């Protein structure tokens, strides 16, 4: 059992660890185009929960991996996530002005630079992973590619854009979010697992069941926070989903129903971790964190 104080300390330590390594990534060589490099830094280093890297570390440790073997996949997943946010915020997509309490990249720089910064962050994610020797590197690269691409996160964003003004049922909404948000969360957990065990280890299946559930719970809670939170705490505009006429769980199930569904998913996630025993305590605590955070 991991209490709130221990969880908070662990989150802070893992965030600091990945932030230090991401910062070093931008300092280790001279930038070919300083403005592009600055935009990339703005997209990835200005705040953030670092939830996906935290999940890499937690999943890897649960199966016995050392932190040094988890650093590269933790950085790679955060770089991929940062790219997705830079592009999602663009005028042609969600058209947001604020991210992590700061101007979005296209506002801080310009639209063309933001597009290029997102492109570069995506490629850098693969570069970081590819430069790290590991016996299961091909499986790690495939995991990241599948999660980010046409059958993963990008597909989810396309579904999200197509759903504006529509009225999907709960299954269709879940499918959209399992791609857009859930794909990278599943990838984070799998990358951590692959750093520790071979692809045929049955515990990877347990981790994937866990990750599917927390990925959807995370998005449902995000939908709830968009209704109940404030812009200062969230670090982005509150009420944005309703303003864009985007389908959400609160609009479909009501706030109470959405919260109840998120709670059910957390219970499903925790139950899936039974094969991992006591080593999964941090993952269980993180599942609960998904629906208790305020941003």
């Amino acid at each position: 059992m991991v209490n709130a104080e221990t969880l908070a300390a662990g989150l802070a330590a893992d965030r600091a660890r990945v932030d230090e390594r991401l910062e070093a990534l931008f300092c280790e060589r001279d930038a070919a185009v300083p403005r592009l490099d600055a935009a990339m830094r703005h997209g990835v280093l200005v705040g953030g929960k670092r939830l996906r890297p935290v999940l890499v570390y937690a999943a890897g440790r649960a199966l016995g991996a050392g932190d040094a073997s988890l650093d590269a996949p933790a950085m790679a997943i955060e770089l991929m996530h940062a790219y997705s946010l830079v592009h999602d915020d663009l005028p042609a997509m969600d058209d947001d002005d604020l991210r992590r309490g700061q101007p979005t990249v296209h506002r801080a720089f310009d639209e063309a630079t933001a597009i290029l910064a997102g492109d570069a962050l995506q490629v850098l994610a693969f570069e970081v992973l590819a430069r790290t020797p590991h016996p299961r590197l091909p499986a790690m690269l495939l995991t990241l590619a599948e999660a980010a691409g046409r059958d993963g996160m990008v597909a989810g964003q396309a579904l999200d854009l197509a759903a504006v003004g529509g009225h999907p049922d709960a299954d269709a909404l879940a499918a959209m979010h399992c791609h857009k948000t859930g794909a990278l969360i599943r990838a984070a957990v799998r990358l951590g697992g692959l750093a520790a065990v071979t692809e045929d280890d049955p515990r990877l299946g347990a981790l994937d069941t866990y990750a599917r559930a927390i990925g959807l719970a995370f998005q449902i809670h995000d939908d709830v926070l968009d209704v109940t939170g404030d812009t200062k705490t969230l670090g982005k505009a509150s009420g944005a989903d309703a303003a864009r006429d985007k389908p959400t769980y609160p609009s479909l199930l009501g706030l109470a129903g959405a919260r109840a569904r998120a709670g059910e998913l957390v219970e499903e996630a925790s139950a899936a971790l039974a094969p991992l025993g006591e080593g999964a305590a941090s993952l269980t605590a993180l599942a609960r964190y998904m629906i208790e955070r305020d941003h």
Side-chain angles (χ1 to χ4, degrees), residues 29-180:
R29 60 190 178 194
D30 293 334
V33 182
R35 180 175 173 81
L36 174 61
D37 212 57
M40 293 170 67
R41 291 174 66 97
H42 187 86
V44 74
L45 294 175
V46 180
K49 295 182 287 295
R50 305 296 189 237
L51 175 64
R52 290 151 191 82
V54 166
L55 285 168
V56 172
Y57 287 121
R61 290 170 188 149
L63 298 186
D67 285 357
S69 68
L70 298 168
D71 288 332
M75 285 192 290
I77 202 74
E78 187 63 18
L79 289 164
M80 187 64 74
H81 177 55
Y83 131 72
S84 76
L85 298 182
V86 173
H87 279 196
D88 283 359
D89 290 337
L90 289 167
M93 305 287 270
D94 288 346
D95 195 15
D96 280 316
D97 297 329
L98 198 65
R99 173 69 68 178
R100 295 168 172 171
Q102 300 291 329
T104 50
V105 176
H106 70 276
R107 293 300 184 195
F109 294 84
D110 57 73
E111 190 173 347
T113 300
I115 292 170
L116 293 173
D119 292 342
L121 286 168
Q122 179 185 186
V123 176
L124 185 57
F126 287 107
E127 180 183 335
V128 166
L129 203 51
R131 287 182 180 275
T132 304
H134 194 281
R136 286 176 292 284
L137 179 58
M140 290 182 174
L141 290 168
L142 182 60
T143 293
L144 188 60
E146 289 180 337
R150 63 179 184 174
D151 294 322
M153 181 180 64
V154 172
Q157 180 65 9
L159 290 168
D160 187 39
L161 291 171
V164 172
H167 303 282
D169 61 19
D171 289 341
L173 194 57
M176 178 183 77
H177 289 317
C178 284
H179 285 84
K180 183 178 179 182

Side-chain angles (χ1 to χ4, degrees), residues 178-204:
C178 284
H179 285 84
K180 183 178 179 182
T181 304
L184 280 194
I185 287 177
R186 288 177 63 200
V189 172
R190 181 169 173 81
L191 285 170
L194 285 171
V197 300
T198 57
E199 296 168 75
D200 59 354
D201 192 301
R203 290 173 295 179
L204 289 179

Side-chain angles (χ1 to χ4, degrees), residues 9-35:
L11 287 170
D14 286 343
R15 287 168 181 155
R17 183 180 180 94
V18 76
D19 279 349
E20 180 182 347
R21 282 151 181 78
L22 287 168
E23 179 71 40
L25 193 62
F26 285 93
C27 296
E28 66 186 18
R29 60 190 178 194
D30 293 334
V33 182
R35 180 175 173 81

Side-chain angles (χ1 to χ4, degrees), residues 267-283:
E267 293 303 318
E268 290 174 19
S270 299
L273 295 172
L276 279 68
E278 291 298 318
S282 291
L283 289 168

